[in-house]
Amino acid sequence: MSEKFNPAPTDKHAADPKQEMRSDKKQDDELERGLKDSFPASDPVSSTQPTKAAPNAELV
């Protein structure tokens, strides 16, 4: 028996932890920058962009 038994091999479809950490850091930096740029303000910072209305959309 030359190979050691590994009961939990790595998941080749799992997200790369280093890549996920960089992505989280990037999003955190963007939110922090938005907070600094908007201070003092009454509206909270949003991490998403608003959707564009359809050309024929009616305003309510």
Side-chain angles (χ1 to χ4, degrees):
M1 182 177 231
S2 62
E3 291 185 33
K4 190 174 185 180
F5 176 70
N6 185 357
T10 57
D11 183 2
K12 64 181 179 180
H13 300 291
D16 179 25
K18 290 180 182 179
Q19 178 67 27
E20 291 296 315
M21 196 165 62
R22 283 191 294 266
S23 177
D24 288 345
K25 173 93 170 95
K26 180 182 174 189
Q27 184 178 13
D28 186 51
D29 290 344
E30 289 174 0
L31 287 172
E32 187 68 29
R33 189 173 341 127
L35 182 61
K36 286 180 181 178
D37 291 345
S38 65
F39 186 79
S42 59
D43 296 334
V45 176
S46 174
S47 64
T48 60
Q49 295 295 321
T51 58
K52 295 186 186 224
N56 296 329
E58 294 181 22
L59 297 175
V60 177

